[in-house]
Amino acid sequence: MLNTPYLLFLGDAPDPLSAKVAQGVKDWRPENCVGQFRQEGCNADMGLPDMTIQEAVDAGAKTLIVGVANRGGQISEGWSSAFEEALAAGMDIASGLHNLLTDNPKLVELADKHGQKLFDVRIPQVQFPIANGKKRTGKRCLAVGTDCSAGKMYTAMAMEKTMRERNMKATFRATGQTGILITGGGIPLDAVVADFMAGAVEWLTPDNDADHWDLIEGQGSLFHASYSGVTLALVHGGAPDALVLCHEPTRTHMRGLPDYELPSLELLRDTALTLARFVNPNCEVVGISVNTAALNDDEAVALLAQIEERMQLPCVDPFRHGADRLVDALS
Amino acid sequence: MLNTPYLLFLGDAPDPLSAKVAQGVKDWRPENCVGQFRQEGCNADMGLPDMTIQEAVDAGAKTLIVGVANRGGQISEGWSSAFEEALAAGMDIASGLHNLLTDNPKLVELADKHGQKLFDVRIPQVQFPIANGKKRTGKRCLAVGTDCSAGKMYTAMAMEKTMRERNMKATFRATGQTGILITGGGIPLDAVVADFMAGAVEWLTPDNDADHWDLIEGQGSLFHASYSGVTLALVHGGAPDALVLCHEPTRTHMRGLPDYELPSLELLRDTALTLARFVNPNCEVVGISVNTAALNDDEAVALLAQIEERMQLPCVDPFRHGADRLVDALS
């Protein structure tokens, strides 16, 4: 969908966190990045060569990726000039900002004039079908969480990386804007109209080689009151053969829902498996991915061992210890 | 949302089934109907006075309800002229057709000129919030099905009618186009963007008197591969105190999914209750509604008794025997 390679636009990112989209592209698709574009006041650095727009085009960059979140919901004058320069120099622009590129008449006009494309990855670009529930060839693994933002995208990306290192056939399937920008394709599932959610997931994970795995990025949680419907569409549209449970152990309540405790891993396992097996009777929970960022090394190892003993499943933090044991569990 | 009373537009309905929207309005809100408008070739009859547009306006009609499905996805010349006449005579028009009234320039122009409104009830009219999961006052009952089109709307409408007859505080809450046209308000949930589905259901069922019941129209099924996400948004956005299981006993596979058997009532009960209790720990399954239209009287009575014995819950066909026992079960 997006033309590679990329120039990562960091603009005047006030801190590294605001540039987490760029960081994701750099971490997971370094081969797609020719450089970074930074402006005065930028406090983020991907460690890539700093380039002007023209230098990037000369180096082969095809798309300017907006890798930074904007402040206050406005696209500043400084950003706009850079975007205009990129279009004029022959790059497409891709963005996951709430403010749409395609709502900016000047950018639309310039893109048209120079034959370049503007990709607002928050907006579905396809008229998805209604799901047909048909069995597809190939294998699928879906990450499901006890909560939102529990490490589902990271887990799927890490598994894909490990599988590719092992020369296994594996494709990360992005279902949110960050994943789309990182990999250059996918569906912004939370922006799809209700009737077509599961159909969009089927569209994203079509028939494939018998030994190919889709690593489907999860969204929300089956137990998150705001977003659970999106998650169930992933379970039924994805028809996974394997589920990985994702968990952040220090959270005191569901994200954005102060009155809700997290479901137990047992409840998540049983509920997700019941629902998934209705469309794919062979589905298994193969492992658990725990985000131990808030724990020290000893605490992390102890917690992982404790959960592994309790759940009788491989339990790892793929960021800390790699995704090998999760990949081993895909049989 | 819609101005009452209505003139029911039957057009040239080829048969009664094609006029099922009109039939629904007539069955459930007869007090809102001043008459029907039929054209040459019409083979449907609601038993209401036949009226011209002007006669209906003189009788007080405020909205022309398109109560018939169109053939081949086209709005015929005959229909258009009637719609134009209705606008000119001072009526709004409401429609659930795939072809939008608001996509017709002539109708838009006439509505504007005469100060009338065009309601395409398939299109959400509100910018819904993201669900906040907060506990609301008042009670809510949701119909959930083993499949789509299992009698969920009928069950909720029948319960509302019985409750009103008993002077209980009850409001049917429409979540689909037919229900919206019947009751004049609601949300077209299947057309809402994924992120806002549960928020739309919360919006539809706000704080209310402690002894007030919302009867929420169900959609899809937690086990229907195409639409389950919409159903889970209803379970979590609706936060029901009571669930009624709906079932059509003669179906050999899930609607539109020839490879899928229906889930058992036990599986539906356990799964729906697990998910619903996460947002409302007091939720109970109070009864079962079975659509016995395909059975004769003896068969129907026998089947209901058998399911009642098996599930240990009141089991009725509200169309055949009334909704009293379901209402009795709401405590």
Side-chain angles (χ1 to χ4, degrees):
Chain A
M1 177 174 153
L2 307 183
N3 284 317
T4 56
Y6 305 148
L7 173 65
L8 300 185
F9 177 85
L10 306 183
D12 52 352
D15 51 47
L17 193 62
S18 66
K20 68 175 185 173
V21 169
Q23 190 68 54
V25 182
K26 168 59 174 30
D27 286 348
W28 298 110
R29 292 290 187 267
E31 68 275 21
N32 286 347
C33 306
V34 301
Q36 62 186 13
F37 180 91
R38 301 197 292 169
Q39 295 175 309
E40 196 179 320
C42 184
N43 290 314
D45 184 355
M46 299 302 124
L48 293 166
D50 284 298
M51 292 184 176
T52 63
I53 298 288
Q54 193 56 52
E55 286 168 349
V57 170
D58 292 343
K62 296 281 193 297
T63 302
L64 182 77
I65 299 281
V66 182
V68 54
N70 57 337
R71 285 172 285 191
Q74 295 298 315
I75 292 181
S76 68
E77 188 55 44
W79 287 25
S80 290
S81 335
F83 295 171
E84 290 162 19
E85 193 187 341
L87 292 170
M91 270 194 275
D92 297 337
I93 309 180
S95 157
L97 300 176
H98 276 287
N99 311 69
L100 302 185
L101 300 172
T102 49
D103 278 348
N104 182 318
K106 183 95 180 272
L107 293 180
V108 171
E109 185 196 324
L110 274 174
D112 196 45
K113 179 174 165 190
H114 296 286
Q116 301 306 133
K117 296 196 189 103
L118 300 173
F119 291 98
D120 287 304
V121 300
R122 278 182 187 272
I123 308 298
Q125 306 291 322
V126 173
Q127 178 71 44
F128 298 111
I130 286 176
N132 63 28
K134 293 221 173 96
K135 179 85 186 146
R136 282 154 287 162
T137 52
K139 302 258 191 181
R140 285 154 201 89
C141 175
L142 173 67
V144 293
T146 50
D147 194 3
C148 300
S149 309
K152 295 184 296 291
M153 185 182 88
Y154 191 98
T155 300
M157 296 279 339
M159 289 178 73
E160 184 210 44
K161 185 161 183 279
T162 298
M163 294 170 84
R164 290 189 171 184
E165 285 164 1
R166 296 188 188 183
N167 292 314
M168 296 172 69
K169 296 177 188 167
T171 309
F172 174 86
R173 298 296 189 182
T175 61
Q177 61 203 26
T178 304
I180 296 172
L181 289 173
I182 291 175
T183 61
I187 55 169
L189 187 57
D190 60 11
V192 171
V193 166
D195 245 0
F196 305 99
M197 295 185 297
V201 180
E202 289 185 347
W203 177 91
L204 181 69
T205 59
D207 280 329
N208 215 317
D209 295 344
D211 58 346
H212 177 278
W213 281 91
D214 281 329
L215 286 313
I216 307 174
E217 180 189 359
Q219 295 292 337
S221 163
L222 287 172
F223 292 93
H224 195 290
S226 311
Y227 306 117
S228 56
V230 180
T231 313
L232 186 51
L234 277 160
V235 171
H236 281 162
D241 302 275
L243 294 170
V244 174
L245 311 183
C246 296
H247 184 55
E248 204 289 292
T250 65
R251 213 162 281 179
T252 54
H253 61 76
M254 301 284 280
R255 191 173 163 89
L257 302 175
D259 299 336
Y260 289 81
E261 289 183 18
L262 272 64
S264 68
L265 285 162
E266 288 85 349
L267 182 60
L268 175 62
R269 174 195 64 199
D270 295 346
T271 307
L273 207 49
T274 299
L275 291 162
R277 282 189 173 161
F278 199 76
V279 297
N280 186 346
N282 298 321
C283 185
E284 298 285 352
V285 175
V286 297
I288 301 171
S289 172
V290 179
N291 177 350
T292 62
L295 308 181
N296 69 33
D297 283 346
D298 290 347
E299 289 168 342
V301 169
L303 179 71
L304 293 170
Q306 177 201 321
I307 295 175
E308 179 153 337
E309 169 66 21
R310 183 180 118 206
M311 301 293 292
Q312 293 291 301
L313 285 167
C315 179
V316 302
D317 181 338
F319 184 80
R320 210 154 194 157
H321 307 120
D324 284 279
R325 296 187 61 222
L326 296 176
V327 172
D328 293 344
L330 298 177
S331 53
Chain B
M1 178 174 152
L2 306 183
N3 285 316
T4 56
Y6 304 148
L7 174 65
L8 300 185
F9 177 86
L10 305 185
D12 53 351
D15 50 49
L17 192 62
S18 66
K20 69 175 186 175
V21 169
Q23 191 67 52
V25 183
K26 168 58 175 30
D27 286 348
W28 297 111
R29 292 290 188 267
E31 68 275 22
N32 286 348
C33 308
V34 302
Q36 63 188 13
F37 179 90
R38 302 198 289 170
Q39 296 176 308
E40 196 177 322
C42 184
N43 290 313
D45 184 354
M46 300 301 123
L48 293 165
D50 283 298
M51 293 186 174
T52 64
I53 298 286
Q54 193 56 54
E55 285 168 349
V57 170
D58 293 343
K62 298 280 193 295
T63 302
L64 182 77
I65 299 282
V66 181
V68 55
N70 57 337
R71 283 171 287 189
Q74 295 297 316
I75 293 181
S76 67
E77 188 55 42
W79 287 25
S80 289
S81 338
F83 295 171
E84 291 162 20
E85 190 185 344
L87 292 170
M91 271 195 273
D92 297 336
I93 309 180
S95 158
L97 299 177
H98 275 287
N99 311 67
L100 304 185
L101 301 172
T102 48
D103 279 347
N104 182 318
K106 182 97 182 265
L107 293 180
V108 171
E109 183 196 324
L110 274 174
D112 195 46
K113 177 175 166 188
H114 296 285
Q116 302 304 133
K117 295 195 188 105
L118 300 174
F119 292 99
D120 286 304
V121 301
R122 275 182 190 272
I123 307 298
Q125 307 290 321
V126 172
Q127 178 71 43
F128 298 112
I130 284 175
N132 62 30
K134 293 222 172 93
K135 178 86 186 143
R136 284 152 287 162
T137 53
K139 302 258 194 183
R140 284 154 201 89
C141 175
L142 173 67
V144 291
T146 50
D147 194 3
C148 299
S149 310
K152 295 184 297 290
M153 185 182 89
Y154 191 99
T155 300
M157 296 281 337
M159 289 178 73
E160 184 210 44
K161 184 162 184 277
T162 299
M163 293 170 86
R164 290 190 172 184
E165 286 164 1
R166 295 187 188 182
N167 292 314
M168 295 171 72
K169 297 176 189 168
T171 310
F172 174 86
R173 299 294 189 184
T175 61
Q177 62 202 27
T178 305
I180 295 171
L181 289 173
I182 291 174
T183 61
I187 54 169
L189 187 57
D190 61 11
V192 171
V193 166
D195 244 0
F196 305 100
M197 295 184 298
V201 181
E202 289 185 346
W203 177 90
L204 181 69
T205 59
D207 280 328
N208 216 316
D209 296 345
D211 58 346
H212 177 277
W213 282 91
D214 280 328
L215 287 312
I216 307 173
E217 180 189 0
Q219 295 292 337
S221 163
L222 288 173
F223 293 93
H224 195 289
S226 311
Y227 307 116
S228 57
V230 180
T231 313
L232 187 49
L234 276 160
V235 171
H236 280 162
D241 301 275
L243 294 169
V244 174
L245 311 184
C246 295
H247 185 56
E248 203 289 292
T250 65
R251 213 162 283 179
T252 54
H253 61 76
M254 301 283 282
R255 190 173 165 90
L257 302 176
D259 299 335
Y260 289 82
E261 289 185 16
L262 273 63
S264 68
L265 285 162
E266 287 86 349
L267 182 60
L268 175 63
R269 174 195 65 198
D270 295 345
T271 307
L273 207 49
T274 298
L275 290 163
R277 283 189 173 161
F278 199 77
V279 297
N280 186 347
N282 299 320
C283 185
E284 299 284 354
V285 175
V286 299
I288 300 170
S289 172
V290 179
N291 177 349
T292 63
L295 308 180
N296 70 31
D297 283 347
D298 290 346
E299 290 167 341
V301 169
L303 179 70
L304 293 169
Q306 177 201 322
I307 296 176
E308 178 152 339
E309 169 66 20
R310 181 181 119 208
M311 301 293 293
Q312 294 290 302
L313 285 166
C315 179
V316 302
D317 181 339
F319 183 81
R320 211 154 191 155
H321 306 120
D324 283 279
R325 294 188 61 223
L326 296 176
V327 172
D328 293 343
L330 299 176
S331 54

